[in-house]
Amino acid sequence: TCIGVPLGIAVDSDGGVLIAAPGLPVRRVDAETGVITRFAGRPEACADHDRRDGGPARDACLWSVSDVAVDGRGDVFIADVWEATIRRVDAETGVIATFAESGFDTLDQALAIDDRGRLVVLGFSPSFVGQTVRRYDRDGQRSVILAGNGYFAYCGDLGPARDACLGHVADVAVG
């Protein structure tokens, strides 16, 4: 089984390891057997922008997965950078749906879950090459920009984090 070039990993509620790699389905390594299976995404190409929301995660169309994260309920979040979406796989049903869309003004590249179960996202602006760190509420509504103004430059020391310039940030973590 090809796992490509992994950009993100997460551990699910059963101890399985989820692997995100661009251009491939999200893979899962079973904690007990070590067997790799397809968790989300189809192995074959899909029609342009056909996400296949509302069905099994294994049947979904994923374009360029850059990261995965798992919340306290076991829901899995998937950053699909070139589709400018974050998808959520419901832990109970296995159904995938679009959780949030950035509208291509910010492409989401890294994910983390804070202690209140909210999704924290590192994204980059394709037009300005800068980055932002955003936090979404549990319902997928963008609630706040935590850091970064979307511009790549040197700015923001000793000022509010939202006014700072971020560039070349590879990941986001909360603790």
Side-chain angles (χ1 to χ4, degrees):
T1 300
C2 177
I3 60 171
V5 179
L7 295 181
I9 61 168
V11 177
D12 68 17
S13 56
D14 294 328
V17 177
L18 298 164
I19 303 169
L24 295 172
V26 175
R27 305 290 190 189
R28 182 180 183 275
V29 181
D30 186 275
E32 292 183 25
T33 66
V35 173
I36 299 174
T37 57
R38 182 169 44 96
F39 174 79
R42 300 163 45 95
E44 61 276 341
C46 296
D48 195 28
H49 302 291
D50 178 9
R51 296 182 187 153
R52 300 190 183 201
D53 277 347
R58 291 173 52 91
D59 294 340
C61 295
L62 300 172
W63 299 98
S64 187
V65 175
S66 60
D67 204 3
V68 289
V70 181
D71 71 8
R73 296 190 296 197
D75 292 344
V76 176
F77 295 84
I78 302 168
D80 191 344
V81 69
W82 292 119
E83 192 62 17
T85 60
I86 299 169
R87 311 287 289 283
R88 182 180 68 86
V89 179
D90 186 276
E92 293 182 22
T93 65
V95 170
I96 193 167
T98 298
F99 175 77
E101 296 182 76
S102 61
F104 295 101
D105 61 336
T106 303
L107 303 178
D108 305 317
Q109 68 187 68
L111 308 174
I113 306 291
D114 74 8
D115 60 352
R116 294 163 116 191
R118 298 173 297 187
L119 187 66
V120 178
V121 179
L122 170 67
F124 69 93
S125 166
S127 55
F128 300 112
V129 195
Q131 294 170 300
T132 59
V133 177
R134 301 181 317 282
R135 182 181 63 220
Y136 287 91
D137 289 332
R138 299 242 358 122
D139 62 2
Q141 300 300 310
R142 187 179 301 181
S143 62
V144 68
I145 292 177
L146 301 176
N149 62 13
Y151 289 94
F152 179 75
Y154 180 78
C155 69
D157 286 355
L158 304 175
R162 289 185 312 269
D163 295 341
C165 299
L166 301 176
H168 300 297
V169 180
D171 206 353
V172 64
V174 294

